[in-house]
Structures are given as C-alpha cells and as structure tokens.
Amino acid sequence: MSSRDPFQSFTWHSDIFSCQSNDISSFYARLEEQASRLGLQARKLGDAGPHPLELYQSPAQKADQPSILISAGFHGEEAAGPWGLLYFLNELEPELFGQINLSLLPLVNPTGFKRGHRFNKLGQNPNRGFVLENGRGRSNQDTSSEGEILLAHSQLLAAASKDGILTCHEDVLLTDTYIYSFEANQHPGQFSRELRDALGHYFPIAQDGLIDDCPVQDGIIFNHFDLSFEAFLVRLGASVGVCSETPGQQSFDQRILANAAIIKRFVELTLAKR
Ligand SMILES: [Zn+2]
C-alpha cells in the first residue's frame, strides 16, 4: 500500500486563475467576489488558525426546495477541490437559488491549504473523528480543531445536507480517478455512476482493486462508513453522499475543471430527482 506523508508540500500553478494552488489570499479574494455577486450569506462557524471557517448559503432558503451541501479543502494538498468549487461559482447564475438551497464549505483546512500539506498546522487530519452517538455528533481523540467546529454545528449542517453531501477531495498519489459514494441501496445506482462519469470525462477511471484498503469497483467505493465528515452526514440523514477523488498526478487545471464539473452534475442530478 502507498501512504501519504501528511506534511509533504504539494503546489501547482493554475493558468486558469493565474496563481499558485496555495495562494490563499487570492483564493479568499475571489471567493468574496463571487459570494457578493451571488448574494451568498456567509456565516462564521469558528476559527481555523488565523482564518475564519465559514459556511456560505444561498439567500432565502425555502422549505420546499432540496438542500445540498458542497464541501472542499479538508486536506491541504488537495487544492483542486476549493479552486474547482470557486470555478463552479464563477459560472453560476443566482436564478438557480429559486430551485435549490445551496450550502458551501469552500475551504475547511486553510492552514494546510496555505502550506500545501495534508494536515492542519496542528498536525491533525480534519476529516477524521466525526462520531455519531445517540443521534448527536461527538468528537474523539482523532478530531481536529476544524472537526470540533463542524461538530458543534451538526444540526445546521444536517439540515443543509438533507438531500445530499458532496465533498471534493483529491488523491495526490494517483493518475486515475474514483469516488466514494453513499446511497440507500445494496449497489451503486445511476446517481453514483453518473457522478463517477463526470470525473471519467477528464481522467481514466481507477481499475478494480483496493485503494486505502477499501474495495473499489468500476471506480466506486460504495457505502464505506468510517469516521469521515461525509459518512457522518449520511448517518445524520443526508439522502446521498459522494466524496470525489481527482488524481493529483494529472494537470492541475484539468483537476479544477473536473471538480467544477462534478459539482455541477451533483446539482443537476439533485434537481432531476424532483
Ligand atoms: Zn482528502
């Protein structure tokens, strides 16, 4: 098995955004621009080191519309997730908010992102330690400071992800792509396959076998319940969940486009279910 060094630094240049992948001030400035253009409401959940951990939500959320949560940037070296989310926002028209309640966690681990390494600056893994006990979120010895903040807002995040959670990760070791998916089924359905194919449009799909000790078949690791954020929200009631994994050995800009594409597809499939 391959393993990831949590403090190895990875950075790439983006021609699309004309900056380095870990240029956090440029990222926040562009995010602010889009949040303002789209009328997104920012809600500070806590502080991740010197940076605020913010949830952005579409304005005037309606009870009769589906609610989905898109998150990115849990692992600092997986930079195409946050930039892909930003690319998606750049292309978005606010009319969409008349059909769907959109919530966004654009950059969960800013201190890792800035350094281009996996863990936060305290050396913690922000995607571990999400325990559900008696219907409530609880931390354990593996929970990061960002995780504590997210767990403290479990109810808000459960409501925001009622109709689905998509979390954008990358696998820096690979040239191929795959997804984790969660559906209330024995086998991956069309939803999982379509999202896998959104990435498969950009990269080869991983061969069957084991990735991180999980069985991957047709590019999908299915219903793997660990103590990750996405598994936690599915346990809390999100009707579907997907964790996308773009390959870090491929072109950075292609990975940005692939992340934007899977977010767009996730929105489209949510609307198609109505
Ligand atoms: Zn990751």
Side-chain angles (χ1 to χ4, degrees):
M1 279 303 298
S2 46
S3 68
R4 297 172 186 80
D5 176 346
F7 302 107
Q8 184 181 351
S9 180
F10 294 86
T11 58
W12 299 270
H13 185 266
S14 169
D15 291 332
I16 293 175
F17 288 105
S18 304
C19 67
Q20 288 296 114
S21 55
N22 64 335
D23 184 344
I24 194 166
S25 54
S26 179
F27 179 80
Y28 279 134
R30 289 164 184 271
L31 177 63
E32 198 44 57
E33 246 174 54
Q34 291 307 313
S36 162
R37 178 180 71 85
L38 293 164
L40 299 177
Q41 292 169 345
R43 177 165 174 169
K44 182 175 155 178
L45 304 183
D47 285 304
H51 308 283
L53 207 174
E54 282 181 309
L55 176 73
Y56 290 85
Q57 296 192 291
S58 53
Q61 301 222 342
K62 298 180 190 70
D64 62 340
Q65 297 187 161
S67 298
I68 59 169
L69 173 63
I70 317 285
S71 63
F74 274 83
H75 293 136
E77 90 282 32
E78 302 174 4
W83 288 107
L85 195 156
L86 184 59
Y87 190 94
F88 164 78
L89 292 180
N90 286 346
E91 306 276 294
L92 194 63
E93 293 304 330
E95 286 71 30
L96 179 72
F97 305 147
Q99 296 175 271
I100 198 164
N101 302 325
L102 187 64
S103 297
L104 308 165
L105 288 167
L107 180 53
V108 171
N109 173 10
T111 59
F113 180 89
K114 193 172 177 180
R115 291 167 170 79
H117 67 52
R118 185 170 186 78
F119 286 3
N120 67 13
K121 72 167 185 177
L122 302 173
Q124 301 164 326
N125 181 346
N127 203 29
R128 284 290 171 266
F130 291 90
V131 180
L132 186 69
E133 200 174 71
N134 302 323
R136 300 177 69 94
R138 171 171 81 68
S139 58
N140 68 8
Q141 71 281 357
D142 296 328
T143 309
S144 65
S145 58
E146 294 82 6
E148 297 279 3
I149 293 168
L150 297 175
L151 281 166
H153 296 86
S154 293
Q155 283 191 319
L156 172 68
L157 296 172
S161 63
K162 185 169 64 69
D163 298 281
I165 163 70
L166 169 64
T167 188
C168 298
H169 283 249
E170 297 202 274
D171 193 322
V172 288
L173 303 174
L174 295 190
T175 53
D176 297 348
T177 191
Y178 62 98
I179 63 170
Y180 293 83
S181 82
F182 301 85
E183 291 186 70
N185 280 321
Q186 293 294 99
H187 303 285
Q190 190 184 352
F191 175 79
S192 296
R193 294 194 300 271
E194 294 225 15
L195 288 170
R196 172 204 60 199
D197 291 346
L199 301 182
H201 179 75
Y202 292 87
F203 311 111
I205 290 171
Q207 297 199 332
D208 291 0
L210 291 177
I211 296 179
D212 293 335
D213 296 326
C214 299
V216 56
Q217 189 173 11
D218 300 324
I220 300 171
I221 297 172
F222 190 60
N223 284 351
H224 174 71
F225 282 94
D226 54 13
L227 296 184
S228 64
F229 179 66
E230 55 274 18
F232 173 73
L233 289 181
V234 173
R235 283 193 185 97
L236 265 182
S239 60
V240 288
V242 168
C243 168
S244 58
E245 297 277 357
T246 44
Q249 300 291 318
Q250 298 278 9
S251 143
F252 186 58
D253 279 334
Q254 286 296 303
R255 287 150 50 202
I256 290 173
L257 295 176
N259 275 283
I262 195 171
I263 295 170
K264 183 160 180 271
R265 198 77 193 104
F266 192 83
V267 169
E268 290 168 353
L269 290 171
T270 304
L271 293 174
K273 281 191 229 163
R274 306 290 285 176

